[in-house]
């Protein structure tokens, strides 16, 4: 044996021994050492790969796990953590990880941004390997072709910043939260301030680089149109691993107009919001008006009111916006003084609660953006909620301890142009509003304190109260706002349809199940509420 071969073999044995010994002290699984040995033995560069694998006894394990836990209610000792974290820098290590996890009986969780509402990308009740894409975040923008290739670990903020460095007249129609990871976001559909003009993010995906259960790397042509359909809105991690997305960039003006104004009950908020339901989904597609609804005390009194924040973004100038609103929605009372003309990338700052003058580079600083600490539910409204219904909802909000928020986005426009079967995301024609209902756990050490449990119970009672006013048969929900309260059963279609039809509707859900059975028949890529195999 040559000296170099001997040295390499000795190094492999030493590293395997160290991993196995450390795991033996921290895990009960007898196969854990075999998993590590498998990962190391399949690598061409043992030294490099050993720097990309982390076990619970590594000092950096916990910080790596914690850094992208975007919902801090999961940062507690009782949260089940990975058996091993793998942070690949190239695709071969991902292939190795899939092979070894299958061989040694581990599930895989895939984390790009860590914004999933139930922590499903970084926690599980079974032994699992977490693939963390933090080292795979390259972005290649082609202004001439109006496209971008984006690796799964990049965030929306990084994507927006990169585009803005290349051009002021192109953007991508995705969400406003900068730390959301691109990898999973497109997989659930994805919506944002441009949805009324350009549809969902997944509607604007052109191609993908995708790894299947056998480690094959596929593009749109080689995976076929069925699988390409499924991963754009059907929960891509149910079918395999998205390595990168090819996106179609959309035109935007050099300056857009934004405004923010507030209305309380005393200022006619109920009547204004009632009309908002009719106007916002049907007005010019260049205008998007998001609302946030919450209860607050009136000054220093013990009396509460409802405050509604109207946040508008218009793809054009103030001079064009004001006449439009004067004709269609004068009750809102938008004036020139509250309008600001800024670049599209700056609007992302504004909708995230930052001044437009904030340096846009902050969008790439993952640690500079505040994390969440909440429990959420989603709904879709297809018939305007009557004033009597709004007043019931307001009374319920006033009963809350100021931990609740409703985030409401109008649909219509381009969203209604797509068939509900165009991609798995089905919430299309006829949807007026999407509602996100949230309670936070601020001021509480965990989500299991008596106060936190009361907040969760309040959220569930609000959900029940709103039943008559939201969609039905099925009552629709957004899969990217995953909610395990909807159920996790998947032994048969009857069980799975309880949550599956709410996310995707019957026809799409059945098609997703058929595709899953073809591409992952043994259900290796699974988690709660993943597409099942019967």
């Amino acid at each position: 044996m040559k000296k170099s071969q001997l040295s390499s073999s000795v190094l492999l044995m030493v590293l395997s021994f160290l991993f196995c010994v450390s795991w033996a002290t921290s895990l009960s699984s007898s196969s854990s050492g075999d998993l590590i040995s498998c990962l190391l033995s399949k690598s061409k560069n043992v030294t490099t790969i050993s720097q990309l694998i982390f076990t619970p006894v590594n000092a950096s394990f916990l910080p790596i796990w914690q850094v992208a836990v975007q919902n801090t209610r999961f940062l507690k000792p009782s949260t089940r953590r990975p058996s091993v974290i793998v942070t690949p820098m190239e695709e071969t290590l991902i292939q190795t990880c899939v092979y070894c996890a299958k061989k040694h009986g581990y599930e895989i969780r895939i984390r790009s941004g860590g914004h999933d509402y139930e922590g499903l990308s970084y926690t599980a009740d079974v032994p699992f390997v977490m693939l963390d894409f933090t080292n795979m975040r390259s972005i290649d923008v082609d202004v001439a072709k109006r496209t971008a290739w984006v690796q799964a670990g990049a965030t929306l903020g990084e994507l927006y910043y990169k585009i803005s460095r290349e051009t002021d007249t192109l953007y991508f129609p995705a969400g406003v939260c900068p730390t959301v990871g691109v990898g999973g976001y497109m997989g659930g559909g994805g919506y944002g301030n441009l949805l009324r003009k350009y549809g969902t993010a997944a509607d604007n995906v052109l191609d993908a680089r995708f790894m299947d259960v056998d480690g094959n790397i596929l593009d749109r042509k080689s995976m076929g149109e069925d699988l390409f359909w499924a991963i754009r809105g059907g929960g891509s991690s149910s079918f395999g691993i998205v390595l990168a997305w090819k996106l179609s960039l959309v035109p935007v003006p050099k300056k857009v107009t934004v405004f923010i104004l507030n209305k309380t009950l005393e200022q006619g908020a109920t009547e204004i919001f009632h009309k908002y339901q009719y106007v916002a989904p049907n007005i010019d597609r260049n205008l998007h008006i998001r609302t946030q609804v919450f209860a607050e005390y009136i000054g220093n009194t013990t009396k509460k009111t409802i405050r509604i924040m109207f946040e508008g973004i218009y793809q054009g100038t103030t001079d064009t916006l004001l006449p439009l609103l004067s004709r269609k929605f004068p009750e809102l009372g938008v004036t020139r003084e509250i309008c600001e003309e800024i670049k599209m990338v700056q609007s992302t700052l504004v909708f995230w609660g930052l001044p437009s003058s904030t340096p846009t580079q902050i969008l790439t600083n993952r640690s500079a953006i505040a994390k969440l600490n909440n429990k959420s539910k989603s709904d879709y409204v297809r018939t305007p909620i009557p004033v009597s219904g709004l007043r019931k909802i307001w009374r319920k909000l006033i009963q809350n301890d100021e931990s609740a928020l409703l985030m409401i986005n109008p649909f219509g426009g381009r969203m209604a142009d797509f068939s509900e079967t165009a991609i798995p995301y089905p919430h299309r024609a006829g949807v007026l509003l999407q509602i996100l209902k949230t309670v936070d756990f601020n001021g509480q050490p965990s989500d299991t304190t008596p106060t936190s449990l009361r907040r969760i119970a309040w959220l569930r009672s609000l959900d029940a109260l709103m039943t008559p006013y939201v969609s039905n048969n099925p009552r629709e929900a957004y899969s990217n706002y995953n909610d395990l309260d909807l159920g996790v059963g998947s032994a048969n279609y009857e069980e799975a349809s309880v949550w599956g039809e709410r996310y995707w509707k019957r026809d799409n859900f059945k098609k997703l199940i058929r595709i899953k059975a073809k591409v992952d028949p043994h259900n290796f890529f699974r988690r709660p509420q993943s597409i099942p195999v019967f």
Side-chain angles (χ1 to χ4, degrees):
M1 181 180 293
K2 295 181 181 179
K3 184 176 181 179
S4 60
Q5 292 175 315
L6 179 60
S7 299
S8 177
S9 299
V10 170
L11 178 59
L12 174 59
M13 288 189 292
V14 169
L15 288 171
S16 297
F17 175 76
L18 290 175
F19 269 116
C20 295
V21 169
S22 63
W23 273 41
T25 63
S26 59
L27 301 174
S28 59
S29 172
S30 60
S31 62
S32 58
D34 291 336
L35 174 65
I36 293 296
S37 295
C38 180
L39 291 170
L40 295 173
S41 66
K42 294 292 180 179
S43 172
K44 295 180 180 179
N45 190 327
V46 175
T47 304
T48 298
I49 194 174
S50 67
Q51 297 170 351
L52 303 174
I53 301 173
F54 304 89
T55 70
V57 297
N58 297 132
S60 51
F61 175 88
L62 190 58
I64 289 172
W65 179 79
Q66 289 177 332
V67 69
V69 174
Q70 299 293 349
N71 195 334
T72 60
R73 72 182 171 104
F74 296 106
L75 292 178
K76 55 188 178 184
S78 60
T79 299
R80 297 287 293 273
R81 297 167 189 162
S83 304
V84 62
I85 298 172
V86 179
T87 58
M89 298 184 71
E90 55 185 25
E91 295 169 349
T92 54
L93 180 52
I94 303 172
Q95 292 169 315
T96 298
C97 191
V98 170
Y99 171 83
C100 292
K102 285 195 299 181
K103 182 177 180 179
H104 295 287
Y106 283 78
E107 292 189 8
I108 278 185
R109 297 292 185 269
I110 305 159
R111 185 170 78 176
S112 53
H115 263 274
D116 50 307
Y117 278 32
E118 297 285 10
L120 300 180
S121 65
Y122 50 81
T123 183
D125 291 331
V126 296
F128 72 103
V129 178
M130 186 182 85
L131 269 174
D132 191 325
F133 275 84
T134 186
N135 291 327
M136 297 183 68
R137 49 208 279 194
S138 70
I139 301 169
D140 183 16
V141 174
D142 189 327
V143 174
K145 294 182 179 179
R146 295 185 176 184
T147 62
W149 269 106
V150 187
Q151 283 191 308
T155 63
L156 295 182
E158 291 165 344
L159 172 61
Y160 298 151
Y161 181 74
K162 177 68 173 179
I163 295 171
S164 72
R165 299 295 289 176
E166 302 285 339
T167 174
D168 290 331
T169 58
L170 294 175
Y171 215 61
F172 186 71
V176 300
C177 182
T179 52
V180 168
V182 167
Y185 175 79
M186 314 292 173
Y191 75 96
N193 288 341
L194 291 171
L195 87 162
R196 300 192 63 255
K197 186 160 188 181
Y198 294 115
T200 70
D203 293 323
N204 293 276
V205 169
L206 300 173
D207 205 339
R209 191 163 173 84
F210 179 84
M211 186 178 296
D212 70 11
V213 69
D214 296 316
N216 301 311
I217 296 176
L218 311 171
D219 61 9
R220 178 174 184 171
K221 182 177 180 180
S222 57
M223 75 174 75
E225 287 301 306
D226 275 356
L227 181 53
F228 186 63
W229 176 88
I231 63 174
R232 292 174 297 145
S236 54
S237 63
S238 291
F239 304 93
I241 302 171
V242 173
L243 305 170
W245 295 103
K246 185 180 183 181
L247 311 178
S248 174
L249 305 183
V250 300
V252 295
K254 286 189 175 182
K255 293 289 182 71
V256 300
T257 303
V258 298
F259 64 84
I260 298 176
L261 79 164
N262 292 274
K263 298 289 183 179
T264 64
L265 294 184
E266 294 72 25
Q267 297 169 320
T270 300
E271 292 73 21
I272 293 171
F273 186 85
H274 184 252
K275 183 168 182 179
Y276 165 85
Q277 298 175 98
Y278 292 88
V279 174
N282 296 297
I283 204 166
D284 189 322
R285 296 182 182 196
N286 286 304
L287 178 60
H288 182 81
I289 307 175
R290 183 178 79 172
T291 56
Q292 298 189 53
V293 186
F294 50 92
E296 65 178 16
Y297 285 99
I298 300 175
N300 295 322
T301 73
T302 58
K303 183 180 179 182
K304 282 184 176 180
T305 188
I306 294 295
R307 180 178 296 276
I308 303 179
M309 180 187 297
F310 293 85
E311 302 171 284
I313 176 170
Y314 178 67
Q315 303 294 306
T317 66
T318 306
D319 287 341
T320 307
L321 170 64
L322 291 178
L324 171 66
L325 286 174
S326 179
R327 292 192 310 271
K328 301 290 187 178
F329 202 4
E331 298 85 351
L332 189 57
V334 176
T335 63
R336 185 175 298 275
E337 289 70 28
I338 68 169
C339 292
E340 184 181 14
E341 294 183 3
I342 55 179
K343 295 178 180 180
M344 187 66 196
V345 69
Q346 292 175 289
S347 75
T348 299
L349 298 172
V350 172
F351 272 74
W352 193 242
L354 300 173
S356 62
S357 58
T358 306
T360 55
Q361 193 168 4
I362 196 175
L363 297 174
T364 68
N365 187 342
R366 302 182 182 206
S367 61
I369 307 298
K371 295 188 176 187
L372 307 173
N373 183 17
N374 59 29
K375 167 67 180 175
S376 300
K377 293 180 173 293
S378 61
D379 267 311
Y380 290 85
V381 174
R382 290 179 173 270
T383 302
I385 302 172
V387 168
S388 60
L390 293 176
R391 288 175 175 156
K392 288 181 181 179
I393 296 169
W394 302 164
R395 286 195 292 270
K396 188 69 176 176
L397 282 168
I398 287 172
Q399 294 169 8
N400 181 265
D401 63 357
E402 294 190 283
S403 64
L405 172 70
L406 304 184
M407 184 86 72
I408 303 170
N409 279 274
F411 275 38
R414 179 66 173 151
M415 291 293 286
D417 294 342
F418 290 94
S419 161
E420 64 180 31
T421 60
I423 62 173
Y425 182 95
H427 317 294
R428 302 289 192 169
V431 172
L432 301 178
L433 308 172
Q434 182 195 65
I435 301 179
L436 174 66
K437 303 163 290 185
T438 294
V439 291
D440 67 54
F441 305 110
N442 296 337
Q444 299 300 304
S446 76
D447 61 347
T448 57
T449 66
T451 296
S452 294
L453 293 175
R454 282 196 297 272
R455 291 175 181 177
I456 294 172
W458 179 90
L459 178 64
R460 290 169 177 162
S461 65
L462 172 67
D463 195 58
L465 180 147
M466 292 183 66
T467 302
Y469 309 115
V470 297
S471 61
N472 58 76
N473 297 318
R475 180 174 180 172
E476 297 165 74
Y478 179 37
S479 65
N480 266 357
Y481 293 155
N482 48 26
D483 178 8
L484 297 187
D485 284 356
L486 304 183
V488 296
S490 57
N492 50 57
Y493 187 83
E494 183 178 6
E495 277 189 6
S497 66
V498 173
W499 48 268
E501 290 189 7
R502 290 190 64 169
Y503 290 146
W504 296 291
K505 292 195 172 182
R506 180 180 293 266
D507 288 348
N508 286 356
F509 189 43
K510 286 189 171 183
K511 183 176 179 179
L512 288 168
I513 291 170
R514 292 195 297 271
I515 295 169
K516 168 75 171 182
K518 292 180 180 178
V519 302
D520 184 21
H522 301 295
N523 200 22
F524 173 69
F525 291 109
R526 63 185 181 273
R527 54 170 174 74
Q529 293 184 347
S530 62
I531 304 301
V533 174
F534 304 127

